[in-house]
Amino acid sequence: MWMPRPRDGVSMTKETWIGDVRAGKYDGTEVELKGWVHRSRGSNKIRFVVLRDSTGTVQCVVKRDIVGDETFETVKDALIESSLILHGTAEPTDREHGHEIQVTNVEIVGPVNPDTPFPITESAMEQADGGETEFLLDNRHLYLRTSRMTTMLKMRSTVFGAIHSYFRDREFTEYQAPNFVAGAVEGGSTLFEVPYFGRKAYLTQSWQLYAEAAMPALERLYTIAPSFRAEKSRTRRHLTEFWHAEMEIAWGSNDDVMVHGEGVVRNIASTLLDQHSDDLESMGRDLELVARYADNPYPRMRYDEAVETLQGMGVDIEWGQDLDYSKEKVLTEDFEIPHFLTHYPRVAKPFYHRPDPEDPKYVLCHDLLAPEGYGEVIGGGERTWSEPEILDRIDEEGNDREAYEFYIDIRRYGGVPHGGFGLGVDRVCAWLTGADHIREVIPFPRDSRRVTP
Ligand code: 4AD
Ligand code: MG
């Protein structure tokens, strides 16, 4: 791995990575490793220190007769998560990791005080059993260093990369909207109000309305940004701050937008398979399922059909209700691949959705529902794009026209058919990696009870 170095002055640049040692790249040569103590055991003569860095772990063998008494004692006393620099020879071995280091010298960089040992012990992890206890959430800042979380964060990074590539490869412009806003996008009940110099402002629920403003300028745009929702209920798929990948296209119908929703999700699934098959398997994920989501087109189903199906299954649902998680869970339990649900009732969706000209009881919208009981990962559709229609829709919802003046202007000056969607990045990460809970895929999850650490 190439790393830039300063032209002059002191460099602490690391050049050797444990992942490369494990790949056998350094067998028979002298290396310098920088990292943290993952585990340590042994006797008064020999210590086996498992060293961790961002690329993995490797066993390092420290012998008293080679490193000398003083160094040996420091190593012996080095507690879990002490940081150190060591020198030694990499060599192949029959033991656990296939390669190990015969250590010649060790320097402790950041020691750990024995009065305050690293709190995340193996027994705490066993208790949590892959899930997350309050204890692990309280110590989230330290939990990030565990292999499970490190692997998850790397897959998350890959998901972000796959979204960026999808849109950039298709000449979309990345575009940013404000996070302080004056009005709701997705209904008032989940708005976070913030005091704003004697006025009220809100944290944005979606980039969409401001993206529509730039639609006549850029025509194809996208973002990945945080969105905020005051979700009171704590569920396995809701955060109060989540990462939202959104896109908007001019000259786009509901069908045109769905093409991109399917495209980006399939691109995420195939990129994860390409780059993280081993990681997915280590998390217990069935790779065949992920391959199925990457390889197949996603079928479409109208809302009415979904409601009939659910009613046929004995689920208590009335026409006109939006599908909440409990309903989506039942509906998607038997899905083999994601499905688009289209044509929701106008009464179930926010004002910006365009009524279907063929039957204005419905709107031209879609939700993408992930299988395995996971439910909604995308919401999108065609926008109400003429001035009279948008005024009607704003009034119908009892919204204040003034807060949406700029939004109405977009229709006053050369409105065109357009549309877009929002994809919950954390939800897609949780679904594709097989995480039980959305909290597992984001470094510092926020819900109604937690803003710390
Ligand atoms: O369906 P939603 O509310 O749609 C919008 O916000 C549109 N304005 C997007 C657009 O057309 N540009 O949210 C979109 C997606 C959902 O499908 C879900 O995946 C995710 O955002 N999402 C959440 N993810 C985690 N926690 C929450 N509280 C979420 N709320 C929505
Ligand atoms: Mg939705």
Side-chain angles (χ1 to χ4, degrees), residues 212-213 216 385 387 390-391 394 401 404-415:
E212 287 184 59
W385 60 270
E387 186 186 352
I390 200 68
L391 292 174
I394 289 175
R401 283 188 185 188
Y404 297 97
E405 259 310 301
F406 85 92
Y407 193 66
I408 302 162
D409 263 357
I410 303 163
R411 278 83 187 151
R412 284 193 186 113
Y413 303 105

Side-chain angles (χ1 to χ4, degrees), residues 171-198:
E171 292 176 48
F172 278 69
T173 301
E174 187 176 358
Y175 162 86
Q176 290 80 27
N179 287 322
F180 285 127
V181 295
V185 193
E186 299 300 325
S189 68
T190 63
L191 270 181
F192 269 116
E193 192 178 304
V194 278
Y196 199 81
F197 305 105

Side-chain angles (χ1 to χ4, degrees), residues 186 229 237 322-323 328 344 349-350 352-353 366-367 376-380 422 427:
E186 299 300 325
R229 310 257 170 119
R237 51 173 222 168
D322 201 357
L323 301 187
E328 287 174 2
Y344 282 65
K349 289 287 178 189
Y352 58 74
H353 287 288
H366 61 269
D367 277 8
E376 179 187 343
V377 291
I378 281 182
R427 279 196 191 173

Side-chain angles (χ1 to χ4, degrees), residues 114-133:
D115 295 338
T116 53
F118 193 64
I120 301 180
T121 56
E122 270 175 32
S123 81
M125 290 290 284
E126 268 161 30
Q127 257 176 6
D129 190 25
E132 285 162 339
T133 57

Side-chain angles (χ1 to χ4, degrees), residues 39-84:
R39 272 202 303 267
S40 176
R41 64 187 172 85
S43 67
N44 232 353
K45 290 198 178 118
I46 181 167
R47 303 291 305 176
F48 300 96
V49 176
V50 177
L51 194 70
R52 171 186 75 69
D53 75 3
S54 58
T55 63
T57 56
V58 68
Q59 176 154 280
C60 306
V61 185
V62 188
K63 294 179 178 149
R64 188 187 282 275
D65 60 0
I66 292 180
V67 299
D69 289 338
E70 197 182 327
T71 305
F72 189 83
E73 289 301 323
T74 2
V75 171
K76 211 174 123 202
D77 292 342
L79 296 179
I80 287 174
E81 290 303 313
S82 308
S83 54
L84 52 81

Side-chain angles (χ1 to χ4, degrees), residues 251-431:
W251 318 105
S253 66
N254 194 36
D255 295 301
D256 294 321
V257 175
M258 279 190 277
V259 170
H260 289 293
E262 175 179 322
V264 75
V265 172
R266 288 175 61 180
N267 191 50
I268 296 169
S270 67
T271 311
L272 276 174
L273 279 176
D274 274 357
Q275 297 182 20
H276 294 279
S277 291
D278 292 350
D279 293 332
L280 288 167
E281 273 187 320
S282 79
M283 303 238 161
R285 191 63 171 133
D286 182 348
L287 295 185
E288 265 174 43
L289 288 182
V290 185
R292 204 193 285 159
Y293 309 148
D295 295 341
N296 293 288
Y298 300 166
R300 286 148 200 212
M301 187 193 263
R302 287 180 68 116
Y303 168 91
D304 284 4
E305 193 189 335
V307 169
E308 277 161 30
T309 308
L310 282 167
Q311 286 168 341
M313 294 164 97
V315 175
D316 180 21
I317 179 170
E318 272 175 45
W319 189 94
Q321 280 177 287
D322 201 357
L323 301 187
D324 65 13
Y325 176 49
S326 64
K327 316 259 174 359
E328 287 174 2
K329 186 168 162 40
V330 178
L331 186 66
T332 61
E333 207 75 70
D334 298 329
F335 281 3
E336 304 235 305
I337 36 176
H339 282 53
F340 282 109
L341 232 63
T342 65
H343 299 82
Y344 282 65
R346 174 183 186 137
V347 290
K349 289 287 178 189
F351 70 96
Y352 58 74
H353 287 288
R354 182 176 179 215
D356 184 352
E358 281 177 18
D359 186 349
K361 273 207 313 291
Y362 300 95
V363 284
L364 297 171
C365 73
H366 61 269
D367 277 8
L368 181 66
L369 304 190
E372 302 173 72
Y374 198 82
E376 179 187 343
V377 291
I378 281 182
E382 218 170 298
R383 316 305 187 194
T384 304
W385 60 270
S386 76
E387 186 186 352
E389 253 182 345
I390 200 68
L391 292 174
D392 270 0
R393 292 284 278 149
I394 289 175
D395 296 347
E396 194 177 299
E397 268 204 10
N399 285 330
D400 174 11
R401 283 188 185 188
E402 222 173 283
Y404 297 97
E405 259 310 301
F406 85 92
Y407 193 66
I408 302 162
D409 263 357
I410 303 163
R411 278 83 187 151
R412 284 193 186 113
Y413 303 105
V416 296
H418 65 283
F421 68 75
L423 169 152
V425 184
D426 319 278
R427 279 196 191 173
V428 167
C429 288
W431 160 50

